[in-house]
Amino acid sequence: MRRFLRPGHDPVRERLKRDLFQFNKTVEHGFPHQPSALGYSPFLRLMAIGTRSGAIKLYGAPGVEFMGLHEENNTVMQIHFIPDQCQLVTLLDDNSLHLWSLKQHGGASELREEHRFTLKGPPGSPPSATQVTAVLPHSSREVLYLGTESGNIFVVELPSFRVLEDRTITPEAVLQWIPEDNCNRRSCELVEALREHPKNPDQILIGYSRALIVLWDLQNNKAIQHFLGSQQLENLYWQRDGSKFISCHYDGSYTQWPVASDNRQSEPLENTVPYGPFPCKAISKIYWQTTKNGLPYIIFQGGMPRASYGDRHSISVIHGSQQTAFDFTSRVIDFFIIFSSDPAAEFDDPSALVVLAEEELVVIDLKSAGWPAVHPPYLASLHCSAITCSHHVSNIPLKLWERIISAGSKQNIHYSSMPWPIDGGTNIAPDPPQRDLLLTGHEDGTVRFWDASGVCLHLLYKLSTVRVFLTDADPNDNMNTLGEDEWPPLRKVGTFDPYSDDPRLGIQKIYLCKYSGYLAVAGTAGQVLVMELNDEDAEHVVDHAEADLLQDQEGYRWKGHEKLKTRDGPVRFEAGFQPFVLVQCQPPAVVTSLALHSEWKLVAFGTSHGFGLFDHQQKRLVFVKCTLHPSDQLALEGPLSRVKSLKKSLRQSFRRIRRSRVSSRKRRGGGGNASEVQEANAKFDQDALQEMELAPVQRKIEARSAEDSFTGFVRTLYFADTFLRDSSRHCPSLWAGTNGGTVYAFCLRVPPAERRMDEPVRAEQAKEIQLMHRAPVVGILVLDGRSTPLPEPLEVAHDLSKSPDMQGSHQLLVVSEEQFKVFTLPKVSSKLKLKLTALEGCRVRKVTVANFGSCKTDDYSENDLAVLTNLGDIQIISLPFLKLQIRYPCIRKEDVSGIASCVFTKYGQGFYLISPSEFERFSLSTKWLVEPRCIVDMPEVMSNNHVHSKSGTENAARKSSAGDCGEDERKSGRLMEHALLNDEKVLKEIQSTLEGGR
């Protein structure tokens, strides 16, 4: 009975577990899902992005990132930074305003929500009376001006969000300064824009939707000048000297207006329809930037001819005779211009255009000829083509890293060389301890190599497999070329392209050997490409081989897609990874598993029909094995046909129910008189109760039938040098696990290096293990004589791992969806097992071996299994004794795509998709932790006419010297007392004084 007793509490092990394991979600990589708002602070040089889910993210120099989340999870409509402060205000679609501050804590800056506020009207007033449409943070840093749908402009005090009712600008107050024959009450409905005068902070420009624009004097509460447009107003922009402003309109026009000092109606200087004369789309935002050479930059969103280009998402830049309409593949959310923020500067001198589109961030260099794009160091559009798989490689050797970067730099020659212009804050995180790569496979047949070493996920290199195949698109097509006389002058920018020329090109599996530089990628149509790294462009023939996994079995007919057609003759490849052999599986089903052994020069691949082994040095197929069960008809329909037999699935369900009833009847005895049966049942229940008190509760798991569909689906492949035939000789081997709970082991004979090209590699099936519960096999691992996982190929040769222990007996670990089982080798007798599904009620979805180091000492580390279940939990299980160490909730169980996309690293970190465009990074280790750690210091506030009072300027300077990015404490008394009592140094001094007096 001892084996049923639970192990006792071991305090030493518990302390060690605290030193080894810790769960943290550290950083989100990629592009925010469904962005909805954009803000920029020229003072802090920080950019803010808001999303429809209520998230707000701040970005500065590479590595400077902050994230906040509104509790309401409502859409962020607008973001406005408070001038010359480390504060910003967000407006949500529920009409609430939120004040956020960057404050220092523990040596780093943090983004915190300080206050929230909802503007409320008088009792009985309609919602439109207080529906905020425009927000103006005043340069005094003391108030916000809030324009509403009703035409009222409310003044709100900062940071308290107290409404200053006596300063409200009502439509009635505005109308009394405007002649009656020019407008009526409806002219002052819906405030579209509020803009502060660039030279006089006591004046603001109010733009109403019905084209009435008023220059308002805040000191005297009167209109200085009014302007009447002929078309619905969209936005306003002041010229730098304040002598003119620009209005843009619904009909695709923009107008220049002069500013005078007397109260009269002003006539426009110039009205322009840049893409007329035909009806055009609205210009929703405009900038007018002055330059030293006298020619302004006019930059605006929209304005395209409505009939021919109404579906385009564009931003136009006009500078003298040069004009370009940048064409984006997704909707433009907002944009801003980076220009000289020095108040003493005479000209704007714009340097960069920053555009937030729905699916990517694009930055255009306005200083360089041709206005090229700037390569972003973060906010990468991971989903420029949909991600289909991912693969992580830790600790990349420096030589391979440099060669990949070199290949990537040759692809980026069309990008601008200007430094990243959004460079606020300072990254104080330690340098990454090693170089890590995250490889993502995409639907369009590309593989992207990302630098995953630190906080910024940066694209290093893009590999395309399309050139090997004949597709409808010509890879030499250039989407950006413009004809000389083309009008409008459209130019495609950005990388987001959701459309795939052929879904069969999609990448399904990736395997990179970091020591040899060999790369294997496999796709949707059964294609397996083996590549090697070449530093120069090359033209060569790609060798072809076919692997017939059905082995000419009769009665099977493939109903899915055809294989991809390949190019004949030599193919030209760019520098980087270049394919030299293509293995085509027949039928051309999705490749479900892939393994590469670069030392033996072998690649193994599996589909729903079977698996095969290919010698990529001799370019010869070694063997194929069909795993198809007679009932696996669904495996022949293919993923793209989406055909499923409802009748068949119902029949299988009824069979399962019938089998469970029959088996339960057999357990109860099936016959005999009723009293005997009752006695037997009572005794069984009593024994079961006793056992339940001693052993953990186990759930009843129905055994799966061999008739279940997809039993031949190959889930995992694994190479190992181990004892397979007898305990005296070890040999290379290939292991394969299927969806039906079968494990196949093949003994391989690989000729020595000197005869490697002369003699063929031979394979012979040595073992076949059938798990009784028939659950899918998701992982296979061999442990050496020290119970350590076998090293990777070439790892020992590069002195990066100890040689495996070949003296002691080896063990085989088979991980199925339901349990972990250890077998001895070579006899394959069961030694140990952990029934995960029976004990926990969950199933294994992902499993990997991870190395966990102690945060207290560098001398101790251990290998454990990191396991992700279908409930989204991550469990760490010890090797070789299969003891559960700790469990962490990580992913919502409803997030099926997130669970399917999860990939673990070798050192206890992981990534999973939280949206089509974002990876969430997490860490299970106390030692390996990659998270943003940055600081935003308050820059020195320049003295200019924007600062209203001497006290405000002095306070800002005082805060600057203290490095405090908190809210502006202009008042003494209670606020000062609160600040002192929260200062640790002050509290310690008070305490020591009291103790000394006592």
Side-chain angles (χ1 to χ4, degrees), residues 217-237:
D217 185 343
L218 297 172
Q219 292 289 336
N220 302 309
N221 286 325
K222 68 173 187 177
I224 300 171
Q225 197 175 354
H226 69 276
F227 315 83
L228 275 176
S230 58
Q231 292 290 333
Q232 179 180 318
L233 180 71
E234 292 289 322
N235 221 320
L236 298 169
Y237 187 79

Side-chain angles (χ1 to χ4, degrees), residues 170-227:
T170 63
E172 291 76 21
V174 173
L175 285 171
Q176 70 178 359
W177 296 96
I178 297 170
E180 290 183 8
D181 55 340
N182 285 349
C183 58
N184 54 35
R185 173 65 181 82
R186 297 198 65 185
S187 300
C188 291
E189 288 181 354
L190 205 156
V191 179
E192 281 285 359
L194 293 170
R195 297 286 180 265
E196 184 180 335
H197 195 292
K199 297 297 182 182
N200 185 354
D202 290 330
Q203 296 178 6
I204 63 170
L205 204 58
I206 306 169
Y208 296 96
S209 177
R210 291 178 176 268
L212 172 65
I213 304 166
V214 176
L215 182 61
W216 187 258
D217 185 343
L218 297 172
Q219 292 289 336
N220 302 309
N221 286 325
K222 68 173 187 177
I224 300 171
Q225 197 175 354
H226 69 276
F227 315 83

Side-chain angles (χ1 to χ4, degrees), residues 471-487:
T471 59
D472 295 335
D474 185 351
N476 297 316
D477 283 349
N478 187 354
M479 299 291 286
N480 292 337
T481 52
L482 278 177
E484 289 184 6
D485 301 323
E486 184 175 341
W487 188 262

Side-chain angles (χ1 to χ4, degrees), residues 277-470:
F278 301 106
C280 295
K281 289 179 70 178
I283 294 179
S284 56
K285 189 174 182 178
I286 191 165
Y287 279 80
W288 183 289
Q289 301 277 283
T290 57
T291 61
K292 290 174 185 175
N293 65 8
L295 292 172
Y297 278 86
I298 305 165
I299 303 167
F300 56 87
Q301 177 184 346
M304 283 281 139
R306 193 175 289 277
S308 305
Y309 300 94
D311 59 341
R312 300 297 182 100
H313 314 288
S314 69
I315 289 180
S316 299
V317 180
I318 303 172
H319 180 58
S321 61
Q322 191 178 358
Q323 180 169 347
T324 299
F326 294 104
D327 187 15
F328 299 86
T329 53
S330 58
R331 184 171 61 91
V332 173
I333 303 297
D334 201 354
F335 74 98
F336 61 84
I337 308 297
I338 297 177
F339 57 91
S340 174
S341 58
D342 182 2
E346 188 178 351
F347 304 102
D348 293 309
D349 282 329
S351 59
L353 161 66
V354 181
V355 183
L356 176 68
E358 199 166 34
E359 306 292 353
E360 62 187 326
L361 182 83
V362 178
V363 177
I364 305 295
D365 177 5
L366 297 176
K367 290 285 190 184
S368 302
W371 300 332
V374 182
H375 194 52
Y378 49 73
L379 284 175
S381 182
L382 298 175
H383 64 317
C384 41
S385 172
I387 295 175
T388 48
C389 66
S390 52
H391 174 66
H392 188 275
V393 189
S394 299
N395 210 3
I396 302 291
L398 180 59
K399 188 176 180 181
L400 177 64
W401 186 264
E402 289 174 343
R403 293 177 71 189
I404 291 172
I405 289 175
S406 174
S409 63
K410 293 174 184 176
Q411 297 177 335
N412 296 333
I413 54 173
H414 59 280
Y415 280 107
S416 167
S417 59
M418 88 176 294
W420 184 245
I422 304 163
D423 54 3
T426 306
N427 179 17
I428 59 173
D431 291 333
Q434 61 187 29
R435 295 168 294 274
D436 288 355
L437 273 180
L438 179 67
L439 282 68
T440 53
H442 297 263
E443 192 180 43
D444 62 354
T446 59
V447 178
R448 284 170 169 80
F449 290 64
W450 306 92
D451 177 2
S453 314
V455 172
C456 296
L457 195 68
H458 180 61
L459 181 64
L460 298 178
Y461 164 68
K462 184 180 87 169
L463 161 71
S464 177
T465 62
V466 179
R467 287 184 180 273
V468 181
F469 306 102
L470 287 169

Side-chain angles (χ1 to χ4, degrees), residues 105-133:
H105 176 73
S109 297
E110 293 180 353
L111 182 64
R112 297 180 188 172
E113 185 177 358
E114 299 287 328
H115 298 286
R116 65 187 65 189
F117 163 76
T118 302
L119 188 63
K120 294 178 181 176
S125 61
S128 63
T130 54
Q131 183 68 45
V132 178
T133 55

Side-chain angles (χ1 to χ4, degrees), residues 607 610-611 626-628 710-716 736-744 769-771 774-778 780 815-816:
T607 71
F611 61 96
C626 180
T627 57
L628 205 62
F710 289 114
T711 55
F713 184 118
V714 179
R715 292 286 291 267
T716 184
T738 73
N739 218 42
T742 307
V743 177
Y744 299 96
I769 308 165
Q770 178 61 61
L771 301 179
R774 297 184 182 275
V777 177
V778 294
I780 297 172
V815 182
S816 74

Side-chain angles (χ1 to χ4, degrees), residues 225-229 245 256-260 264-269:
Q225 197 175 354
H226 69 276
F227 315 83
L228 275 176
F245 69 88
Q256 285 192 73
W257 303 88
V259 175
R264 59 183 175 82
Q265 181 181 341
S266 179
E267 295 300 321
L269 290 173

